[in-house]
Amino acid sequence: VAGAGYEVVVGPSLLDRLDALLAPHSATGYAIVTDSTVERHFAAPVLAQLQRLAPAFVAAFPAGEWNKSRDTWAGVTDQLIQHGLDRAGLIVALGGGVVGDLAGFVAATYLRGVRCAQVPTTLLAMVDSSIGGKTGVDTAAGKNLVGAFHQPVAVLADVDTLRSLPAVHVAAGAAEAIKHGVIADPEYLDRLLSAAPAIRQRDPAALFEAVRRSVEIKAAVVTEDEKERGRRAILNFGHTVGHALETAFGYELLHGEAVALGMLAEARLGAAVGVTAPSVAERVAVALETFGLPMEPPGALDLERALPAMQHDKKVRAGAVRFALPKALGEMARDAEGAWTLAVPSAAVRQVLSEWSR
Ligand SMILES: NC(=O)c1ccc[n+]([C@@H]2O[C@H](COP(=O)([O-])OP(=O)(O)OC[C@H]3O[C@@H](n4cnc5c(N)ncnc54)[C@H](O)[C@@H]3O)[C@@H](O)[C@H]2O)c1
């Protein structure tokens, strides 16, 4: 896929030729950073291939969002030091978004920065988190509060790895693909919904098409605005409420599920303040249902917890909560100054979310 500023390869059987794909980025050594689940599935063959190129080792940490932490960052960094990975070494982030964010942050900081290749193995990581160079870890106060921009040298998305991905994670990844359709390409959204049964059965051709188009959309937005000073903010559609839901419900909600619900709430919010065509929320609801995503949170939403979480969000400017809102399918709204986020009165936010607080 062109346009990301680095090579993004999407296809089947990439893990079988990782050595050939990574050889052009010649390195003095390879650190395969992964989590315990992905390690079980894929680490051995990847290690064997990379050892043909240079010394290689696996640095694994226990799977789970709660391990995307500063402690894990320190533990993985220590492993790199022990193995003596030098500045010409390469970190291979093998796994989902948790691995990609964590390994990317290790790469951004280890020896003041070493190169990193993203090898995503979840649908969410393929369509979204492996592209764009955002890396980081969570803290008790909120998600992704510590991190860095660190672009990978290559992204290699092998859709065959998705065969073993649990169904809930297929749906969670589809949420970010739905977002790409809503913010940039309504025809893609239509194609995604028609392909939903095939995607849910992990049909390689259907997965390939979705990953390819999502990568194109995300890459086009982030290359234009690498550090999120402008239009990149449109990728945050669904994420302001989504992050608040993640804070309120902890690990009961997957990131993709929280974004799915966030899109529904934000489309309704946009309609309530007269920015978003009501048909957007209707289409989002159909999309969530089609992919078996949740249509409401797992319990009553505590507004006193959720609303302050939005104030903590990095998308808050000058005290007002700002949202990336669609005007219509495929068309994002701008404010009077041309910004891609709009300030919304907190009373309106409270009103829309109160439906979930009972
Ligand atoms: N950097 C960004 O731009 C960006 C964008 C979106 C999301 N994110 C982050 O991504 C994270 C969520 O990523 P995720 O949903 O991929 O979660 P994840 O990395 O936790 O993966 C989900 C689960 O699936 C397992 N798994 C991974 N690949 C597998 C495979 N092929 N077969 C079987 N099991 C497999 C993992 O071990 C894990 O248990 C969140 O922390 C979120 O903040 C980052």
Side-chain angles (χ1 to χ4, degrees), residues 35 37-38 41-42 63 65 68 96-98 101 121-122 124 128-129 134 143-144 161 164-166 169 176 218 255:
D35 71 28
T37 304
V38 180
H41 285 285
F42 308 114
E65 178 75 41
K68 199 177 109 177
V98 166
D101 281 11
T121 65
T122 65
L124 184 132
D128 194 5
S129 63
K134 279 193 185 178
K143 294 236 338 160
N144 303 325
T161 60
S164 53
L165 190 68
H169 289 291
E176 298 278 11
K218 177 150 187 191
H255 175 76

Side-chain angles (χ1 to χ4, degrees), residues 310-323:
M310 274 183 242
Q311 308 290 342
H312 269 293
D313 202 89
K314 298 183 289 318
K315 289 167 283 291
V316 174
R317 272 202 284 171
V321 186
R322 301 187 68 94
F323 292 87

